[in-house]
């Protein structure tokens, strides 16, 4: 089915471990985004990508790495997880730019022990 | 710089009564404004958007919002609440070349 998917949906890991969250979209949208959602903060932008091989930092990029070798995939890596990175992570995509409608995935709930 | 204020962290209404969720924004540019809804343990779904066309915007499920530039507001309304409207609602501001900025959210409870 067309849409935007995230995997895993739930992840528990330990401090210091590397974790990769996957995001895949089937619309061929140019723009993709990673957000984290924490109580009282709404969603905050971690990284975004305007096209394959083009990425840029958002509001809270520290501790995260992204890549985009293919238009449809936008993985987010926590190189050395910390407890403060416990959060719900949402991937989103947009056809025409970061000022127009974004379509969101179902989210990944990450717990760092 | 852009910012969004959602004036109520929690709103509680009775089923069948009107809903008002308030949003004020700040933007240095001509803004695009959005309302998203998030049901428990789900992703975000677009309710409606304003992108410099008509100031009264109609969305899905009977929701609408009015863009008032003089008041820098974009309040969300619905004439009659339904139990299925219980969710978290986010107001979002953006503009050309600028990223989305989310408000902190308003949790809507609908009482039977």
């Amino acid at each position: 089915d067309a849409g935007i998917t995230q995997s895993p949906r739930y992840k528990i890991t330990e401090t210091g471990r590397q974790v990769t969250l996957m995001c895949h979209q089937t619309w061929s949208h140019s723009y993709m985004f990673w957000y984290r959602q924490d109580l009282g903060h709404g969603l905050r932008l971690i990284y975004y990508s305007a096209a394959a091989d083009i990425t840029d930092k958002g509001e809270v990029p520290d501790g995260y790495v992204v890549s985009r070798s293919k238009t449809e995939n936008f993985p987010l890596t926590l190189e050395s997880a910390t407890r403060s990175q416990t959060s719900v992570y949402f991937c989103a995509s947009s056809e025409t730019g970061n000022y127009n409608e974004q379509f969101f995935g179902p989210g990944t709930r990450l717990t760092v022990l | 710089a852009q910012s969004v204020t959602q004036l109520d962290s929690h709103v509680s209404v009775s089923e069948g009564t009107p809903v008002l969720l308030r949003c004020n924004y700040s933007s240095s540019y001509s803004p695009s404004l959005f309302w998203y809804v998030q049901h428990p343990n789900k992703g975000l779904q677009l309710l409606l958007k304003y992108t410099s066309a008509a100031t009264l915007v109609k969305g899905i499920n009977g929701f609408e919002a009015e863009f008032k530039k003089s008041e820098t507001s974009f309040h969300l309304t619905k004439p009659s609440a339904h139990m299925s409207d219980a969710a978290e609602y986010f107001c979002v501001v953006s503009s050309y070349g600028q990223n989305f900025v989310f408000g902190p959210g308003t949790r809507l409870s609908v009482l039977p």
Side-chain angles (χ1 to χ4, degrees):
Chain A
D1 288 343
I4 183 165
T5 57
Q6 295 183 235
S7 62
R9 293 294 314 279
Y10 302 90
K11 177 73 176 179
I12 299 174
T13 191
E14 295 178 339
T15 301
R17 289 191 180 266
Q18 184 179 81
V19 177
T20 296
L21 309 183
M22 304 300 293
C23 178
H24 176 78
Q25 54 107 353
T26 60
W27 293 303
S28 299
H29 285 171
S30 295
Y31 284 79
M32 296 187 75
F33 309 85
W34 275 106
Y35 294 90
R36 60 177 289 172
Q37 183 179 26
D38 304 291
L39 198 63
H41 289 281
L43 275 73
R44 292 180 292 175
L45 182 65
I46 304 171
Y47 269 95
Y48 68 100
S49 169
D53 297 322
I54 301 175
T55 62
D56 208 346
K57 295 178 180 179
E59 180 185 355
V60 289
D62 292 344
Y64 303 95
V65 175
V66 294
S67 62
R68 195 165 176 208
S69 58
K70 293 184 178 181
T71 300
E72 61 268 29
N73 296 324
F74 191 39
L76 175 74
T77 297
L78 289 66
E79 292 190 303
S80 179
T82 65
R83 290 194 181 89
S84 65
Q85 292 177 310
T86 292
S87 187
V88 181
Y89 290 85
F90 287 98
C91 179
S93 70
S94 176
E95 184 178 14
T96 56
N98 53 2
Y99 57 91
N100 214 331
E101 178 181 356
Q102 295 182 16
F103 297 86
F104 285 81
T108 293
R109 184 174 294 274
L110 176 67
T111 301
V112 183
L113 302 176
Chain B
Q2 302 179 116
S3 66
V4 175
T5 302
Q6 291 186 243
L7 296 159
D8 305 294
S9 60
H10 182 214
V11 170
S12 185
V13 301
S14 296
E15 191 174 21
T17 65
V19 175
L20 170 64
L21 305 182
R22 297 182 291 170
C23 172
N24 286 90
Y25 70 92
S26 173
S27 178
S28 302
Y29 309 95
S30 180
S32 295
L33 293 156
F34 307 82
W35 276 99
Y36 281 83
V37 61
Q38 183 182 28
H39 289 94
N41 298 314
K42 300 288 187 183
L44 281 74
Q45 180 185 18
L46 182 70
L47 276 179
L48 50 80
K49 63 181 179 181
Y50 166 77
T51 54
S52 74
T55 56
L56 182 62
V57 181
K58 294 188 183 298
I60 62 171
N61 300 333
F63 285 94
E64 64 180 38
E66 186 172 8
F67 172 68
K68 292 187 177 180
K69 185 176 181 179
S70 61
E71 299 176 9
T72 61
S73 69
F74 190 58
H75 300 335
L76 182 70
T77 61
K78 182 173 181 178
S80 176
H82 190 273
M83 296 296 290
S84 61
D85 295 328
E88 189 90 16
Y89 291 80
F90 293 97
C91 182
V92 181
V93 65
S94 183
S95 57
Y96 186 80
Q98 304 295 313
N99 290 317
F100 269 25
V101 173
F102 283 76
T106 297
R107 182 165 60 91
L108 175 65
S109 297
V110 182
L111 307 174

